[in-house]
Amino acid sequence: MRTIYLAGGCFWGVQRFFDQFDGVISTEVGYANGPDEPPSYQEVCASSGHAETVKIDYDPAVISLTDLLKDYFMVIDPLSVNRQGNDRGIQYRTGIYYTEESQLPEIEAVYQAQERAAGQKLAVELEKLRNFFSAEEYHQKYLEKNPGGYCHISRDLFALQQRREEAETAT
């Protein structure tokens, strides 16, 4: 099992998006790369400096980090600073936070390809994880508990894995 931390705006939708993929073992929403004290959601909303982030544990024998990151870039605007969809503020910044140096070459390859495709520098932070604090329980799996909740990610992308499997079966 390996772990990657992805900040992609509001963590509710990012968690829901990654939960669908084969090889994703577990996800947890939380607050990353801010001050070293665990914040409350209210402090995060008041610009504590933490990013709403999803911790993703995955099996690299089933899904590669490259594939996870390519999917990540499908659901964010990598040029937007501190904003995704209607959500604005430092907590909604985008970022790829790693814990293992061995992940960096794979991350950098995807990141650089995205930067070339965009034709400009990305606003996505690429940093070693400094800290991660689990979000309050009511945030965990929020869109499963509240299917009508707001999300900047198009709802049809929550069925991406299913559509890929159907396309594979059809060929």
Side-chain angles (χ1 to χ4, degrees):
M1 184 177 77
R2 306 287 293 274
T3 303
I4 192 70
Y5 296 79
L6 300 176
C10 176
F11 50 25
W12 297 341
V14 176
Q15 181 179 45
R16 175 69 183 84
F17 177 72
F18 282 102
D19 277 344
Q20 72 180 302
F21 295 114
D22 294 338
V24 171
I25 297 163
S26 66
T27 59
E28 177 183 3
V29 297
Y31 314 115
N33 281 22
D36 287 332
E37 294 296 318
S40 68
Y41 182 63
Q42 291 72 22
E43 290 168 328
V44 171
C45 290
S47 300
S48 69
H50 297 86
E52 290 193 15
T53 302
V54 180
K55 175 185 178 188
I56 302 170
D57 294 323
Y58 66 99
D59 180 347
V62 179
I63 189 167
S64 70
L65 180 56
T66 295
D67 287 339
L68 286 170
L69 294 174
K70 285 179 179 178
D71 288 337
Y72 166 72
F73 278 104
M74 286 177 58
V75 296
I76 65 164
D77 175 351
L79 304 176
S80 183
V81 176
N82 298 337
R83 178 180 181 190
Q84 292 294 307
N86 293 326
D87 296 319
R88 296 179 183 178
I90 192 168
Q91 74 268 28
Y92 299 118
R93 69 187 185 270
T94 53
I96 301 168
Y97 308 124
Y98 60 93
T99 57
E100 300 173 42
E101 292 293 327
S102 62
Q103 293 173 305
L104 198 51
E106 196 171 355
I107 294 168
E108 287 176 332
V110 175
Y111 192 97
Q112 291 165 2
Q114 291 292 323
E115 208 163 57
R116 281 191 302 276
Q120 58 185 301
K121 186 167 174 39
L122 302 182
V124 179
E125 294 178 335
L126 175 49
E127 301 176 358
K128 188 165 184 119
L129 181 75
R130 295 191 308 271
N131 54 44
F132 178 82
F133 304 102
S134 183
E136 296 82 353
E137 181 56 36
Y138 70 91
H139 287 296
Q140 305 299 331
K141 310 289 186 191
Y142 184 87
L143 289 180
E144 284 182 21
K145 299 175 207 171
N146 302 281
Y150 168 76
C151 182
H152 72 278
I153 298 172
S154 174
R155 302 243 180 226
D156 68 320
L157 289 175
F158 295 156
L160 183 60
Q161 176 73 37
Q162 179 182 348
R163 286 198 315 277
R164 286 176 176 166
E165 290 170 0
E166 289 169 356
E168 245 180 53
T169 305
T171 58

